[in-house]
Amino acid sequence: MASPVTTTHLATLKSQGNPIVMVTAYDATMARLADRAGVDVLLVGDSLGMVVQGHPTTLPVTLDQMVYHTAMVRRGAERPFIVADLPFGTFQVSVEAGVEAALRLVKEGGAHGVKLEGATGQVLEIVRMLTSHGTPVTGHVGLIPQSVHGLGGFRMQGRDEANARRILDDARALQDAGAHMIVLESIPSDLAATITGALAIPTIGIGAGPRCDGQVLVVNDLLGMDDEFCPSFVRQYASLAGTITDALSRYAGEVRAGAFPPSTQP
Ligand code: KIV
């Protein structure tokens, strides 16, 4: 088995100019396939609230559900570094609640590190506490989906100068607090390049252009699992919605026609 990915390895990838490959995973099967494909980081994202649970936002996802999915991903993957999202309603309550939630994702879920959105004073304090005890933390700035209602929808951030400056300051503050990596979501490509150049830690973009240290996509999006939803920044590397529907239709047809199972089967 190749050696497991560590925070040191991720930092080295940045310093050597080698892109970091991150993708979301929510269960052991996908984790195993992503591991086999050579993905560096698996993100057990709270996007599972939308792509697995069918909610319109990530807000309903609970900590118990995140622990459950993280444990599945951990069982499926050997090499990738596994990051689990702190869901809405955990770290927003208090520093203690945020730290306790993060420790559950590590202790019960088996995550190697956690991710939390934003850079409020409370978030920075949680990052400081976790990293001082050796728990790696990934930051997340730009479009932070848990604030979707406050942001007025899933829309690009950092378009005007003041907002761009705030996102850069937030990224710096997260690095200073001890974060080892930062997700930049839905911000202009130039801003992502500026942040990537300004930080010593790796940046991982989603809808943030090519000049980040790595990229992340929601696995269901890149596999084309939903043929009615494809954000403009996504590239679909497969069209599984059609492939799966076709396979299931053929199965249904053969069961109804009496062609499966075959009469020769004992
Ligand atoms: O929840 C998630 O999948 C994420 C990615 C979109 C970065 O946070």
Side-chain angles (χ1 to χ4, degrees):
M1 184 192 69
S3 357
V5 176
T6 60
T7 52
T8 312
H9 179 68
L10 296 170
T12 306
L13 287 176
K14 172 168 178 131
S15 64
Q16 294 177 340
N18 290 318
I20 296 169
V21 181
M22 184 195 273
V23 73
T24 67
Y26 314 111
D27 62 33
T29 302
M30 197 60 78
R32 187 165 42 78
L33 296 176
D35 186 354
R36 196 190 288 174
V39 167
D40 300 308
V41 184
L42 291 177
L43 171 63
V44 189
D46 60 356
S47 51
L48 68 86
M50 300 172 77
V51 298
V52 177
Q53 298 175 339
H55 295 295
T57 70
T58 59
L59 303 182
V61 177
T62 67
L63 180 59
D64 283 345
Q65 291 164 352
M66 289 305 302
V67 169
Y68 176 71
H69 284 275
T70 304
M72 289 189 231
V73 169
R74 181 60 197 269
R75 283 193 289 272
E78 292 184 355
R79 178 184 171 270
F81 187 82
I82 299 171
V83 177
D85 258 340
L86 275 169
F88 181 67
T90 51
F91 64 92
Q92 290 88 351
V93 177
S94 65
V95 171
E96 290 71 23
V99 171
E100 275 174 22
L103 296 182
R104 275 197 68 196
L105 290 169
V106 174
K107 272 174 86 92
E108 296 172 43
H112 300 122
V114 299
K115 174 168 84 58
L116 70 176
E117 297 183 7
T120 61
Q122 187 158 301
V123 165
L124 297 176
E125 188 51 31
I126 294 169
V127 175
R128 273 190 283 273
M129 282 189 75
L130 287 172
T131 54
S132 70
H133 297 132
T135 298
V137 180
T138 299
H140 185 157
V141 298
L143 170 57
I144 42 176
Q146 291 176 16
S147 301
V148 58
H149 299 310
L151 295 174
F154 293 104
R155 53 177 61 183
M156 183 174 264
Q157 302 296 305
R159 282 187 193 277
D160 65 74
E161 214 179 308
N163 192 226
R165 161 62 56 186
R166 193 180 50 74
I167 294 170
L168 172 60
D169 289 346
D170 284 352
R172 279 206 177 101
L174 284 161
Q175 171 176 270
D176 292 347
H180 76 102
M181 191 159 67
I182 299 200
V183 168
L184 307 177
E185 179 164 355
S186 288
I187 60 172
S189 182
D190 283 348
L191 175 58
T194 302
I195 296 173
T196 300
L199 297 188
I201 60 174
T203 60
I204 308 291
I206 173 164
R211 288 170 290 162
C212 301
D213 297 307
Q215 297 290 327
V216 58
L217 281 178
V218 170
V219 71
N220 295 50
D221 293 345
L222 85 83
L223 293 177
M225 296 281 277
D226 184 344
D227 45 17
E228 284 164 20
F229 175 77
C230 184
S232 55
F233 56 82
V234 168
R235 181 171 295 168
Q236 291 187 341
Y237 290 85
S239 306
L240 291 197
T243 305
I244 292 172
T245 309
D246 181 54
L248 293 175
S249 305
R250 287 191 293 115
Y251 167 66
E254 292 196 358
V255 169
R256 292 191 181 112
F260 179 84
S263 51
T264 51
Q265 191 167 307

